Amino acid sequence: MTSQVSSPAEQADENAEDEQRRPGGAKDVRRLNRVIIRFAGDSGDGMQLTGDRFTSETASFGNDLSTLPNFPAEIRAPAGTLPGVSSFQLHFADHDILTPGDAPNVLVAMNPAALKANIGDVPRGAEIIVNTDEFTKRALQKVGYAGSPLEDGSLDGYHLHPVPLTTLTVEALKEFDLSRKEAERSKNMFALGLLSWMYHRPTEATEKFLTTKFAKKPDIAAANVAAFRAGWNFGETTEDFAVSYEVAPAARAFPPGVYRNISGNLALAYGLIAASRQADLPLFLGSYPITPASDILHELSKHKNFGVRTFQAEDEIAGIGAALGAAFGGSLAVTTTSGPGVALKSETIGLAVSLELPLLVIDIQRGGPSTGLPTKTEQADLLQAMYGRNGEAPVPVVAPRTPADCFDAALEAARIAVTYRTPVFLLSDGYLANGSEPWRIPDLDELPDLQVQFAQGPNHTLEDGTEVFWPYKRDPHTLARPWAVPGTPGLEHRIGGIEKQDGTGNISYEPANHDLMVRTRQAKVDGIEVPDVEVDDPDGARTLVLGWGSTYGPVTAAVRRLRAAGESIAQAHLRHLNPFPANLGEVLEGYDKVVVPEMNLGQLATLIRAKYLVDARSFNQVNGMPFKAEQLATALKEAIDD
């Protein structure tokens, strides 16, 4: 049997559900079940703000959504150049969705560079809105256009809407005492107003946001609101936009509850605060700013009222050193970074393994090696998290799968750290960190109990009957050592990186003791209780796709496409990468083929092959962008047919 996976263009055609004719010459309204919009422009054009505001209004309207911000690594790349293009893609729907979408149905291009950088992703038949004011001869030449694509017929396959956004914005703001340059800065709000009209987005919250954001500059606030309203009115009155679109709320996609739009980094910050409250421990973050992890530091610094203390260190080593000191002092200690920072922190992570203290190491992965691609995404730090330390230094590894899931992953990482007295890696990535989706705010009684019992006094009796405190006398179930807060009378003990004697914690160079301590630390990690991996296999498939981290959305979307086309395929997704779930080996043995998609060159596949002797097949991508569902569906179909 032959089956096909529909292309983005075909899916766009499938979107239209019905069209309503308005009486009296009013504009038509077309109902869609989903839309993918991409805002693109120069890094100074405010595309991230525009996309964020459109997303916020879409979330308040009740649509399911997923976003993909994409911006240059340079703080301010040369204006009008391809390296300086910034974009924001939003996929919203009246049903459950999983990804920001493979290809935009609508592209808003603020200049020639934005058009050229993004046109390759836009399917034929899609709508393109261009700011014609920026298509000057100089701007076209800067990005390699010999002539204007608005006039040479190269865009004939698209629904092109040429709009002089800059001119219209300046005209709308002529009553304000602003220079032309100041007025031009509001053209992103004009574009936002136009798109808000096209897709029937609410407007009140955006106007309130602008008034609050520029509260100290009321003229600027009023100008931005005026530009936003002018964009809305332009859509309503111009003949070029004859149709507007409605995407109903995704009422059936969400269980009952209170929801908000949330990014991965914000969810992580909230999860850390919740973990500290559930553990009744002060939260300490020792961090050095690094893209794309810095937002966690920024957010946590706002929450001193919840007992959060943030320390912006002079470098990565100082950041984790301070965090480990806070762990020794009885805090829920966290350090945040990305791949290059993990390399610098590795010695102190090894010290935390030796000291057996709870410490959360949050790695928001990005493209590497070295500085690599600071603003792009990758999953290539898994082996570094597993093995990137000297000696035998095992560390548990947890990975969230969606932006909202970062909240739960933070709680799970904290549970493991405080229960087993160990540093824990949490591997998020740039796609999750900056992307967003609806998040149901949990009730307090849904959160896990993370209460910690500190050592209070002697825990061992010597042969002569003397009661003493042994810092490495372990819990027989978890193998965790006592957590003794400094200054507690009678609990004095040695601290440092030299090997300790089992039980007493005295310095020991005995070969047999070192062997015992190494094996015990490994056994502690191996014995961490984690849930079994769940398998989604409704048809008894022979092929399993195994994912981890942020591949969840694209993989699940691809699996849905294949099943809709009549194919049989199973899916499993890993949150716990060290230790693996206890049933993983049995699951893998139940399938003829195992395919592992990763945004690296096959790191999880390497671990799976080594541990379970399974011929796991890799499907890899390291271009700094998340997988597309169509791309994965095609690869998985080939694996099924092979």
Side-chain angles (χ1 to χ4, degrees):
M1 174 177 142
T2 302
S3 62
Q4 294 182 340
V5 179
S6 58
S7 69
E10 290 168 338
Q11 294 158 32
D13 293 339
E14 293 166 2
N15 263 345
E17 292 183 343
D18 60 65
E19 190 171 317
Q20 293 182 340
R21 291 282 178 184
R22 296 290 181 90
K27 295 188 177 184
D28 298 332
V29 178
R30 184 173 300 162
R31 291 180 179 170
L32 306 176
N33 57 32
R34 68 184 186 93
V35 174
I36 304 168
I37 298 174
R38 184 181 297 177
F39 299 93
D42 190 72
S43 58
D45 285 337
M47 293 297 93
Q48 302 304 318
L49 175 62
T50 305
D52 182 69
R53 290 313 313 161
F54 195 95
T55 298
S56 295
E57 298 293 8
T58 297
S60 68
F61 188 72
N63 295 118
D64 196 10
L65 60 89
S66 180
T67 67
L68 178 62
N70 186 13
F71 38 87
E74 291 82 1
I75 293 175
R76 188 67 175 91
T81 63
L82 293 175
V85 173
S86 175
S87 68
F88 188 105
Q89 183 162 305
L90 166 67
H91 183 189
F92 62 101
D94 65 1
H95 58 278
D96 174 35
I97 58 173
L98 298 156
T99 74
D102 287 0
N105 308 121
V106 181
L107 171 66
V108 180
M110 302 297 281
N111 59 22
L115 178 65
K116 188 165 189 177
N118 291 279
I119 190 63
D121 294 335
V122 183
R124 295 284 175 170
E127 295 193 71
I128 300 177
I129 301 171
V130 296
N131 179 16
T132 56
D133 288 325
E134 296 297 322
F135 279 70
T136 63
K137 183 176 181 180
R138 175 177 172 79
L140 292 166
Q141 290 176 344
K142 191 179 291 188
V143 295
Y145 278 125
S148 175
L150 309 183
E151 302 170 356
D152 63 10
S154 60
L155 300 178
D156 287 349
Y158 306 92
H159 296 298
L160 180 65
H161 301 280
V163 180
L165 288 173
T166 306
T167 299
L168 291 171
T169 302
V170 172
E171 178 66 20
L173 302 184
K174 62 182 181 181
E175 65 185 75
F176 294 87
D177 186 21
L178 300 174
S179 67
R180 179 178 177 86
K181 186 175 182 180
E182 289 173 327
E184 288 178 358
R185 290 174 181 163
S186 297
K187 62 181 180 290
N188 63 324
M189 288 298 105
F190 189 101
L192 177 60
L194 172 58
L195 268 293
S196 297
W197 172 83
M198 285 181 65
Y199 291 96
H200 296 249
R201 299 297 91 184
T203 60
E204 294 81 4
T206 291
E207 293 189 8
K208 183 178 180 181
F209 168 83
L210 292 171
T211 302
T212 302
K213 180 178 176 63
F214 298 105
K216 295 182 180 180
K217 299 179 179 179
D219 290 345
I220 300 297
N224 275 280
V225 171
F228 177 69
R229 291 175 177 173
W232 176 282
N233 294 333
F234 177 78
E236 182 71 32
T237 58
T238 184
E239 295 181 1
D240 191 36
F241 293 91
V243 178
S244 65
Y245 303 90
E246 287 184 350
V247 181
R252 291 175 294 177
F254 305 121
V258 178
Y259 288 79
R260 61 156 294 165
N261 185 51
I262 200 165
S263 68
N265 274 352
L266 183 58
L268 261 176
Y270 286 177
L272 293 171
I273 295 171
S276 76
R277 303 292 283 187
Q278 293 302 104
D280 195 22
L281 297 174
L283 178 63
F284 179 89
L285 173 68
S287 182
Y288 180 74
I290 183 172
T291 302
S294 299
D295 286 340
I296 303 172
L297 170 62
H298 300 160
E299 182 62 32
L300 288 179
S301 68
K302 303 175 184 177
H303 297 287
K304 296 181 178 64
N305 56 316
F306 285 111
V308 179
R309 295 294 178 265
T310 53
F311 170 53
Q312 180 174 321
E314 65 269 29
D315 56 42
E316 296 281 6
I317 299 171
I320 190 173
L324 185 57
F328 180 55
S331 293
L332 179 61
V334 185
T335 188
T336 54
T337 189
S338 190
V342 174
L344 292 168
K345 295 177 188 290
S346 62
E347 183 178 4
T348 306
I349 297 171
L351 176 59
V353 171
S354 176
L355 297 180
E356 301 188 43
L357 288 171
L359 173 67
L360 301 186
V361 181
I362 296 178
D363 177 7
I364 313 298
Q365 300 167 96
R366 71 188 205 188
S370 187
T371 307
L373 303 174
T375 60
K376 309 302 180 184
T377 197
E378 209 164 270
Q379 286 183 299
D381 293 349
L382 175 56
L383 294 183
Q384 180 178 222
M386 287 286 292
Y387 303 120
R389 293 163 295 284
N390 63 297
E392 295 287 348
V395 174
V397 181
V398 174
R401 63 185 188 179
T402 69
D405 187 49
C406 288
F407 178 87
D408 295 319
L411 285 163
E412 175 64 358
R415 176 192 73 85
I416 294 172
V418 299
T419 302
Y420 295 89
R421 311 286 196 268
T422 178
V424 178
F425 259 103
L426 191 152
L427 293 182
S428 180
D429 60 46
Y431 169 40
L432 295 184
N434 297 315
S436 62
E437 65 175 350
W439 171 58
R440 186 181 70 82
I441 301 173
D443 295 328
L444 288 178
D445 58 8
E446 298 177 50
L447 301 180
D449 182 3
L450 302 178
Q451 287 285 331
V452 175
Q453 183 64 48
F454 290 111
Q456 299 297 322
N459 61 358
H460 184 74
T461 303
L462 300 176
E463 292 181 0
D464 62 3
T466 304
E467 292 186 340
V468 296
F469 174 67
W470 276 14
Y472 283 88
K473 185 170 184 176
R474 301 178 183 280
D475 180 295
H477 178 65
T478 64
L479 297 181
R481 79 175 186 90
W483 194 357
V485 176
T488 306
L491 303 189
E492 298 85 359
H493 59 282
R494 289 178 176 84
I495 204 77
I498 297 178
E499 186 64 280
K500 307 298 188 298
Q501 185 180 54
D502 182 42
T504 69
N506 296 330
I507 291 175
S508 173
Y509 298 101
E510 291 294 326
N513 177 76
H514 178 59
D515 183 271
L516 174 64
M517 294 295 278
V518 167
R519 294 181 185 276
T520 301
R521 288 189 289 261
Q522 183 66 59
K524 181 173 67 171
V525 172
D526 291 342
I528 292 172
E529 293 184 1
V530 302
D532 283 348
V533 63
E534 297 181 359
V535 183
D536 176 19
D537 185 4
D539 303 316
R542 304 314 309 157
T543 301
L544 171 72
V545 53
L546 179 68
W548 72 277
S550 66
T551 60
Y552 173 78
V555 168
T556 306
V559 166
R560 287 182 180 179
R561 293 189 186 194
L562 289 170
R563 290 177 180 170
E567 299 293 342
S568 181
I569 188 168
Q571 179 186 2
H573 203 81
L574 294 176
R575 162 171 284 178
H576 297 90
L577 297 157
N578 192 33
F580 286 129
N583 70 328
L584 181 57
E586 180 182 352
V587 166
L588 296 174
E589 290 175 0
Y591 293 90
D592 296 336
K593 303 169 188 174
V594 177
V595 183
V596 185
E598 299 179 79
M599 292 186 293
N600 56 47
L601 295 183
Q603 297 187 14
L604 176 60
T606 296
L607 296 174
I608 293 295
R609 292 169 70 95
K611 184 172 179 63
Y612 299 106
L613 303 181
V614 170
D615 186 20
R617 305 183 183 189
S618 288
F619 183 73
N620 308 116
Q621 172 177 295
V622 282
N623 61 5
M625 298 295 289
F627 284 113
K628 294 182 177 180
E630 180 189 23
Q631 166 193 16
L632 280 176
T634 301
L636 294 175
K637 177 67 168 62
E638 292 175 354
I640 293 171
D641 294 341
D642 185 6

